[in-house]
Amino acid sequence: MVSDEKEHREQSRLQVRHNMKPELPGFYYDEEKNRYFPIKSPIPGAKSSSSSRTKQKPEPKPEQETNYQKRTKLKALKLVYSRELNGNVIPVNKKMSNFRDEIQKTQASYPVVWRYGSTEDIGDTALKQFQVDVQTPVGLTRKNILVAGSAGGCLSILRVSKDRQVYDGVIECDPVSVLPCKENDTEEREAPEHILRPTQPCLVALSSISSIELIGRSDASENSHPVNRALITTLGSTGRGSIFILNVAEEVNILTPRSLQGNVSSECTIWTSDCNISGSHAAIGTDLGAGLVDLETGVGSYFLRSKSDVFALQFHQSGNIVHCGLRNGAIVSVDLRERPGRPFPRLTRHQIRYQSSSKTGLTSTKKQWFELQGNINPSHVIYMPSSLTCLKTLKTSDQYLMASSMDGTIKLYDQRMVKRGVGVQTYEGHVNSHTPIEFGIDPSERFILSGGDDCYTRIWSIKSGQLMSENKFSNSVPSVVCWSADERQRDRKDSIGHGAWLGSREAIFNLL
């Protein structure tokens, strides 16, 4: 009896002692070992159970949808209703947003596309729309034209109008709605633009049309003068590229060849071109480097010599700098201003240490050297993973440079941070392996539009890098993009809703 009572008192004392152990957050108390153990660790001696493993295993992240259209549920009608209640600043996803921004995102996520008949194989290498004042029997008439170049060397001048018109000697290109699909949307839409194509092309060159650029650029004001001339370049058969000046101020378009003079070789392949704002000079990218050509006299000189072809280039807004994209993936900025005490034709030699990089951003240990001649800063050279296909600067901030390469990379660079060698934004989802594809930036500089090798057309947000939409409405690669010129004149603040033209071998498309 006495031993039973002692044993009972000892058990009670231990129970009270155990109950007095304070609870520590994140720990549990083991009676046998008389110590605390962290809960995140497996309990010593305890068998692991499937339930405990399930609780400890982190929840898998939900798969991200590849198409932004599936995630965008805001309709224009709901946005308008919210604006009526809240004004221009509306609540979206528990955040406050601008009404105009949300409308533009909705338009970019649900584009409307028309395909124009009788436009196959006429606008697959170059495409540009602009306004012209044409002298007619009734006086000056402002018209919209679309200049298209093909890989077969044909240059066509298409007339664009809001209303359907019929003329002698032209072919009416009937628009057909291809997006949204008719199965999902039975509503009949009227095409925003109508195209008339002449029966005969303006030019049939011996090689592909490589670029079409406006000579002199108009601003967004209503009083600005329209552009009446365009620079046309051909790739060149057997290494003899050509330059033409197209004058569309008359009812009968005049195409004048411009022979190259000076130290710019006529025995070169012309890949690309760009004109300065004043329209006095043009920069051409060739297989020998980049040259500056006087458009009135044809006299030119090289401002960059390189054994790597210049595939893409663009003037800086100041007109003093030209950004050049090379075949080896390098992007160099060349200053056209002469250095004191050094004549302009004499170019400075630079040995550039090129370190190849992959699409993932990993750099290899193999380093190569290549030579450039020109007024450049070697420390400001940018490197893309593959050959350059397109190069554009943002007009709202000329410090930002957007570039694409043939491996499917599209990046936005801040030229004040080029020494770091990384882009400030990357646009994922683009597909390319070998095609020279040109991307387009909308007039408000909110979105970037580009076709891909997989025949899909994608739209990204420039600021966030988010893929807004991807759609396939062409069986060939949409390789060139240009924005509607008349809408750009009207209001640069509006965006993608003002329309873009896309050219492929299959047809010319209009995207809203």
Side-chain angles (χ1 to χ4, degrees):
M1 289 289 294
V2 175
S3 61
D4 292 341
E5 290 179 0
K6 287 183 179 181
E7 184 178 356
H8 178 71
R9 284 197 299 270
E10 182 65 21
Q11 291 179 356
S12 299
R13 186 179 63 81
L14 293 174
Q15 183 69 26
V16 172
R17 182 180 178 184
H18 172 71
N19 294 336
M20 291 177 62
K21 291 291 182 181
E23 294 184 2
L24 300 180
F27 293 84
Y28 74 96
Y29 180 76
D30 188 288
E31 298 181 7
E32 296 180 358
K33 297 185 178 295
N34 192 26
R35 57 175 294 188
Y36 290 94
F37 292 94
I39 295 178
K40 65 179 180 179
S41 302
I43 300 176
K47 296 181 179 181
S48 59
S49 61
S50 60
S51 60
S52 63
R53 288 196 303 267
T54 303
K55 292 181 180 179
Q56 295 175 6
K57 185 178 180 180
E59 296 182 359
K61 296 182 179 179
E63 294 183 0
Q64 186 178 4
E65 299 178 18
T66 58
N67 197 331
Y68 185 78
Q69 288 177 274
K70 300 177 182 179
R71 302 193 300 268
T72 304
K73 304 302 181 183
L74 290 174
K75 301 291 185 179
L77 185 61
K78 293 182 179 180
L79 293 174
V80 172
Y81 177 75
S82 181
R83 184 188 64 173
E84 294 299 323
L85 296 177
N86 304 282
N88 288 327
V89 180
I90 59 176
V92 178
N93 296 331
K94 299 180 180 180
K95 296 180 180 180
M96 303 306 293
S97 180
N98 183 271
F99 169 77
R100 181 190 291 270
D101 295 344
E102 294 302 323
I103 282 290
Q104 292 174 354
K105 290 178 183 178
T106 303
Q107 292 174 339
S109 303
Y110 299 94
V112 181
V113 182
W114 282 267
R115 181 181 64 241
Y116 289 84
S118 303
T119 59
E120 55 275 350
D121 294 325
I122 66 172
D124 54 328
T125 59
L127 200 63
K128 196 73 67 176
Q129 184 190 0
F130 54 98
Q131 286 184 329
V132 295
D133 280 344
V134 181
Q135 186 67 44
T136 62
V138 296
L140 285 177
T141 303
R142 180 161 293 190
K143 298 181 179 180
N144 293 323
I145 64 172
L146 188 65
V147 184
S150 70
C154 294
L155 180 72
S156 303
I157 301 178
L158 314 178
R159 185 176 298 179
V160 181
S161 64
K162 296 289 185 182
D163 303 321
R164 193 169 185 175
Q165 301 176 358
V166 179
Y167 296 94
D168 294 334
V170 296
I171 301 174
E172 185 178 3
C173 305
D174 296 326
V176 178
S177 177
V178 294
L179 193 70
C181 299
K182 292 184 179 181
E183 298 82 29
N184 301 331
D185 192 354
T186 59
E187 179 185 356
E188 289 292 334
R189 290 185 172 89
E190 183 179 356
E193 306 279 5
H194 294 271
I195 292 180
L196 296 176
R197 180 174 72 85
T199 55
Q200 297 295 329
C202 179
L203 169 70
V204 179
L206 298 177
S207 60
S208 172
I209 305 294
S210 57
S211 69
I212 300 173
E213 294 296 332
L214 309 183
I215 299 178
R217 301 174 186 174
S218 54
D219 55 24
S221 63
E222 296 181 356
N223 299 325
S224 62
H225 298 286
V227 178
N228 293 330
R229 297 193 304 163
L231 175 68
I232 314 295
T233 63
T234 63
L235 196 62
S237 60
T238 65
R240 294 185 63 90
S242 303
I243 295 179
F244 298 88
I245 304 297
L246 175 65
N247 191 336
V248 291
E250 302 294 335
E251 189 71 21
V252 179
N253 302 310
I254 302 175
L255 191 67
T256 306
R258 182 73 72 217
S259 59
L260 293 176
Q261 302 178 17
N263 70 345
V264 176
S265 173
S266 59
E267 303 288 334
C268 65
T269 300
I270 301 179
W271 296 105
T272 184
S273 68
D274 191 27
C275 298
N276 60 2
I277 296 178
S278 63
S280 60
H281 291 80
I284 58 173
T286 72
D287 56 339
L288 302 176
L292 190 67
V293 180
D294 189 316
L295 293 178
E296 296 300 326
T297 63
V299 176
S301 60
Y302 285 105
F303 59 86
L304 177 69
R305 295 301 298 263
S306 171
K307 293 183 179 180
S308 183
D309 300 35
V310 178
F311 279 169
L313 56 77
Q314 188 180 36
F315 269 98
H316 188 270
Q317 294 184 39
S318 64
N320 299 324
I321 297 174
V322 178
H323 305 289
C324 302
L326 309 184
R327 180 193 288 269
N328 61 11
I331 303 175
V332 297
S333 298
V334 187
D335 195 335
L336 302 181
R337 291 168 293 188
E338 300 181 24
R339 289 185 176 181
R342 185 181 295 273
F344 182 74
R346 184 179 178 182
L347 302 178
T348 306
R349 294 176 179 267
H350 300 275
Q351 290 292 330
I352 307 298
R353 193 175 189 179
Y354 174 70
Q355 185 172 3
S356 60
S357 60
S358 63
K359 187 175 180 180
T360 58
L362 299 176
T363 57
S364 63
T365 57
K366 184 179 180 180
K367 296 183 178 180
Q368 301 175 349
W369 294 85
F370 68 97
E371 182 179 291
L372 290 178
Q373 298 180 36
N375 188 8
I376 66 174
N377 187 343
S379 63
H380 288 177
V381 177
I382 304 173
Y383 300 101
M384 293 286 284
S386 183
S387 300
L388 268 292
T389 59
C390 189
L391 198 63
K392 295 181 185 293
T393 57
L394 300 186
K395 294 180 174 59
T396 54
S397 178
D398 54 13
Q399 297 293 339
Y400 289 99
L401 179 69
M402 188 171 292
S404 63
S405 58
M406 283 193 185
D407 68 331
T409 300
I410 302 179
K411 286 189 176 184
L412 179 66
Y413 292 94
D414 188 337
Q415 298 181 69
R416 296 163 294 187
M417 303 169 59
V418 293
K419 290 185 178 181
R420 300 185 181 181
V422 295
V424 296
Q425 190 60 266
T426 302
Y427 304 93
E428 302 290 346
H430 182 51
V431 178
N432 193 11
S433 59
H434 61 280
T435 309
I437 298 176
E438 177 188 5
F439 61 78
I441 300 175
D442 78 297
S444 69
E445 298 187 339
R446 294 179 182 273
F447 303 102
I448 174 177
L449 171 68
S450 179
D453 255 357
D454 55 355
C455 301
Y456 274 79
T457 299
R458 296 174 175 85
I459 302 176
W460 294 267
S461 168
I462 291 181
K463 182 178 180 180
S464 65
Q466 189 176 38
L467 179 62
M468 309 299 291
S469 66
E470 54 180 356
N471 298 281
K472 183 178 180 181
F473 46 80
S474 174
N475 293 322
S476 58
V477 178
S479 52
V480 289
V481 180
C482 74
W483 243 263
S484 178
D486 57 332
E487 301 291 356
R488 181 173 66 247
Q489 294 273 357
R490 188 178 305 172
D491 188 1
R492 282 180 55 89
K493 293 183 180 179
D494 284 346
S495 186
I496 197 168
H498 280 165
W501 296 99
L502 293 94
S504 69
R505 296 192 63 182
E506 177 184 342
I508 292 177
F509 298 86
N510 183 259
L511 182 145
L512 288 180

